């Protein structure tokens, strides 16, 4: 659509107060880089083209999502220099939505409202403001007698500022809608101030030219929160986490102890699932309906179908089918696929393996590079010896197999359907269907042994 505004996100500058090798806007909030939150909000709020202003070599351009254009700021300092760096990307006659990369919680609804106000007012510029925050350090909005915007006064340094200026509570949030032509024309006339060119310098120029500068006031303080330090990041993450938990709760998920769970923004959870204390859900984790997750479960890029239960366990890049149960104290590693209604129990580790439908691995086992057939029962303490020191080999345990406790499977090895293994066996050869594989020395009883031992003590 040609009338969609272009979003211009200012994201240059390392953010030295973060004390990090990572540029500020790439620090994550609930699993997603700050800048990506802003991009997402801009797109949902109606932006067409999205342009990000970055510094050459800072790594931000490489981290942009698909379809976002990078514009390098190679000269000049300040927010006006940032916008000028993207000059070639702005559509003549269009609307430019200007946003800061360090305001991750800006809501798409607010962006859409800002653009609507701008259009309705037929303004050359519309700025987002609030009176709900501590105004220290922010640019304050100086209004003329008639209520229109006269100028913005920066207050990072309060030197030389009047009492009237410092008593203003209305702050500029650094989020604007502009008419592209008016913006570019005014920017050319903005001079330097303390070595920087301020974007806010355009407002008096536009006013002088007889253009309308409108205001969209907001009471949405989380949208207004900017990040300059890790303490600020922590605060923003706290607010984002609360929003994520609330979104799931309103969509039908029960979250016990909401302060004591951590859920990334990208996680999906079905209705009637319950998330208990100490649960951490990361990345592309997908949880179906009617699941019970936690207490103390960590899921990273894990998929649970409906009705799965997971307690006190650690799951990474794996799949668990409907009705299966995992834990307590299980470790599912990449490539683990647990079948419908199966059970992976206490102190069990599964890696790159399929555990079949209704199969059970209840206690103290390691299943690696293996296939456990439908309905098989793996007894306590079974180990697949999958690694010969150089290469990994597969173990196949057929349908309905019953293994004995402490069976070791020296891979590659195949246990036929319905077969058994004897307790304590080291299985190095294939076991045919329905057979018993047993490999342990026969038991020998030494009669009268205890008496001989006690005689020895008396001597
Ligand atoms: C700016 C506003 C201030 C407002 C505040 C809201 C100006 C002059 N002031 O101040 O009125 O209250 O935001 O948070 O605009 N950036 C670049 N290139 C640069 C400089 C900055 O891309 O050369 C980017 C930064 O990465 C940041 C954004 O522009 O995302 C804002 O810059 P910042 O220096 O943080 O401005 P503030 O002092 O916060
Ligand atoms: Mg800032």
């Amino acid at each position: 659509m040609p009338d969609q505004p272009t979003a211009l996100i200012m994201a240059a500058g390392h953010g030295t107060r973060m004390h990090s090798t990572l540029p500020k806007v790439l620090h994550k909030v609930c699993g997603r880089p700050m800048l990506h939150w802003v991009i997402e909000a801009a797109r949902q709020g109606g932006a067409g083209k999205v342009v990000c202003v970055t510094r050459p070599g800072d790594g931000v351009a490489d981290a942009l999502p698909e379809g976002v254009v990078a514009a390098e700021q190679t000269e000049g300092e300040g927010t006006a220099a940032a916008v000028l760096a993207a000059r070639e990307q702005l559509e003549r006659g269009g609307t430019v939505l200007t946003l800061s990369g360090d305001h991750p919680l800006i809501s798409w609804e607010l962006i859409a409202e800002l653009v609507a106000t701008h259009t309705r007012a037929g303004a050359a510029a519309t700025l987002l403001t609030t009176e709900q925050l501590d105004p220290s350090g922010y640019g304050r909005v100086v209004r003329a007698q008639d209520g229109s915007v006269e100028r913005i006064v920066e207050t990072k340094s309060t030197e030389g500022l009047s009492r009237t200026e410092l008593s203003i509570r209305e702050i500029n949030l650094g989020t604007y809608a502009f008419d592209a032509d008016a913006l570019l024309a005014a920017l050319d006339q903005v001079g330097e101030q303390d070595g920087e060119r301020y974007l806010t310098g355009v407002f008096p120029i536009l006013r002088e030219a007889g253009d309308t500068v409108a205001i969209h006031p907001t009471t949405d303080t989380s949208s207004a929160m900017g990040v300059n330090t890790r303490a600020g990041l922590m605060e923003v993450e706290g607010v984002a986490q609360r929003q994520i938990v609330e979104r799931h709760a309103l969509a039908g998920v029960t979250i016990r102890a909401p302060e004591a769970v951590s859920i990334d923004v990208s996680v999906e959870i079905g209705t009637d699932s319950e998330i208990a204390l100490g649960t951490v859900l990361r990345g592309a984790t997908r949880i179906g309906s009617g699941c019970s997750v936690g207490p103390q479960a960590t899921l990273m890029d894990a998929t649970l179908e409906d009705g799965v239960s997971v307690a006190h366990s650690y799951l990474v890049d794996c799949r668990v089918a409907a009705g299966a149960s995992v834990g307590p104290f299980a470790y599912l590693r990449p490539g683990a696929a647990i079948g419908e209604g199966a059970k992976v129990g206490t102190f069990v580790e599964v890696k790159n393996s399929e555990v079949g439908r209704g199969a059970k691995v209840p206690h103290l086992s390691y299943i690696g590079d293996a296939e456990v057939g439908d309905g098989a029962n793996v007894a306590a303490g079974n180990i697949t010896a999958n690694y010969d020191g150089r290469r990994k080999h597969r173990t196949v345990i057929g349908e309905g197999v019953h293994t004995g406790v402490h069976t070791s499977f020296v891979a590659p090895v195949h246990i036929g359907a319905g077969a058994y293994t004897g307790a304590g066996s080291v299985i190095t050869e294939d076991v045919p269907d329905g057979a018993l594989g047993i490999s342990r020395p026969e038991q020998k009883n030494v009669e009268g042994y205890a008496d001989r031992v006690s005689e020895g003590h008396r001597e």
Side-chain angles (χ1 to χ4, degrees):
M1 271 191 286
D3 56 349
Q4 279 183 305
T6 295
L8 193 164
I9 305 174
M10 299 179 288
H14 197 83
T16 49
R17 287 203 284 150
M18 297 293 280
H19 300 291
S20 177
T21 52
L22 192 68
K24 176 165 79 172
V25 295
L26 295 186
H27 279 261
K28 289 181 178 174
V29 172
C30 297
R32 178 190 285 165
M34 267 194 254
L35 180 58
H36 290 207
W37 283 81
V38 181
I39 292 168
E40 182 79 18
R43 284 181 164 159
Q44 278 196 49
K49 184 173 175 183
V50 179
V51 183
C52 272
V53 179
T54 65
R55 290 272 186 206
D58 66 359
V60 175
D62 303 327
L64 293 176
E66 202 151 320
V68 175
V69 180
E72 287 194 337
Q73 185 183 345
T74 49
E75 56 187 46
E77 291 295 327
T79 43
V83 174
L84 283 168
R87 172 176 229 146
E88 298 311 316
Q89 301 295 341
L90 304 183
E91 213 167 298
R92 305 289 170 262
T95 300
V96 191
L97 184 59
T98 308
L99 304 154
S100 293
D102 62 354
H103 280 246
L105 300 190
I106 180 91
S107 81
W108 70 265
E109 291 94 337
L110 193 55
I111 289 175
E113 286 166 20
L114 172 73
V115 174
T117 299
H118 179 72
T119 311
R120 215 179 310 117
T126 304
L127 55 152
L128 189 64
T129 70
T130 191
E131 294 189 23
Q132 308 290 316
L133 290 181
D134 171 3
S136 324
Y138 282 100
R140 315 282 173 93
V141 182
V142 180
R143 293 198 187 224
Q145 292 272 307
D146 64 356
S148 62
V149 180
E150 198 173 280
R151 63 193 162 92
I152 306 296
V153 58
E154 292 301 322
T155 63
K156 248 186 278 183
S157 156
T158 53
E159 227 180 85
L161 299 181
S162 75
R163 205 179 260 227
T164 329
E165 285 169 329
L166 285 172
S167 68
I168 300 172
R169 284 205 59 89
E170 186 178 26
I171 58 173
N172 165 35
L173 292 177
T175 303
Y176 323 90
F178 286 109
D179 170 80
D181 301 324
L183 171 66
L184 291 175
L187 274 175
D188 286 331
Q189 299 171 53
V190 173
E192 267 196 20
Q193 205 175 322
D194 306 322
E196 288 192 37
R197 289 175 78 188
Y198 290 166
L199 176 56
T200 46
V202 300
F203 301 121
I205 295 168
L206 291 171
R207 185 183 168 82
E208 197 70 17
D211 288 326
T212 303
V213 178
I215 281 188
H216 184 82
T218 180
T219 53
D220 172 2
T221 47
S222 48
S223 277
M225 289 170 86
V227 174
N228 293 309
T229 62
R230 299 222 199 195
L233 180 65
M234 226 157 55
E235 211 175 310
V236 160
E237 190 156 51
V239 173
Q241 190 51 242
R242 185 73 219 174
Q243 288 177 355
I244 291 168
V245 161
E246 245 170 56
R247 163 162 64 82
H248 288 298
L250 289 172
V253 178
T254 298
I255 300 188
R256 304 275 174 216
E259 309 300 330
V261 299
S262 174
I263 304 177
D264 276 357
V265 62
S266 45
V267 169
E268 289 172 15
I269 310 174
T271 51
D272 285 327
S273 281
E274 187 165 320
I275 310 298
L277 184 96
T279 293
V280 176
L281 305 175
R282 295 268 172 267
T285 291
R286 305 271 174 275
I287 294 173
S289 295
C291 292
S292 162
V293 182
Q296 312 295 357
T298 298
L299 276 64
M300 305 168 79
D301 303 322
T303 300
L304 310 185
E305 288 179 5
D306 297 343
V308 168
S309 99
V310 177
H312 286 267
S313 291
Y314 199 90
L315 282 68
V316 184
D317 193 11
C318 59
R319 295 187 67 86
V320 182
S325 96
V326 177
F329 311 112
Y331 181 17
L332 300 189
R333 291 169 50 198
I338 312 304
E340 210 176 301
K343 177 187 171 77
V344 172
T346 313
F347 302 114
V348 172
E349 175 177 340
V350 181
K351 183 217 75 171
N352 189 30
S353 296
E354 282 139 46
V355 172
R357 203 180 252 261
K360 292 192 170 68
V361 191
H363 332 275
L364 298 155
S365 290
Y366 171 60
I367 306 295
D369 302 300
E371 223 171 274
V372 176
D374 293 350
N377 191 89
V378 175
N382 280 206
I383 304 288
T384 53
N386 57 329
Y387 186 48
D388 63 11
R390 281 177 302 134
R391 280 188 298 144
K392 303 284 173 65
H393 303 280
R394 282 193 82 75
T395 298
V396 178
I397 296 173
E399 269 183 45
V401 164
H402 285 77
T403 73
V405 298
H406 278 284
T407 301
S408 300
F409 301 94
V410 181
V413 73
H414 184 284
I415 314 301
Y420 287 74
T421 67
S425 291
V426 177
I427 303 294
T428 55
E429 308 285 340
D430 290 354
V431 178
D433 289 2
L436 166 69
I438 183 159
S439 75
R440 59 171 194 236
E442 264 184 54
Q443 183 170 333
K444 180 178 152 195
N445 292 334
V446 179
E447 298 288 345
Y449 179 77
D451 290 344
R452 274 163 41 201
V453 169
S454 43
E455 265 166 36
H457 279 307
R458 273 199 294 274
E459 273 169 16

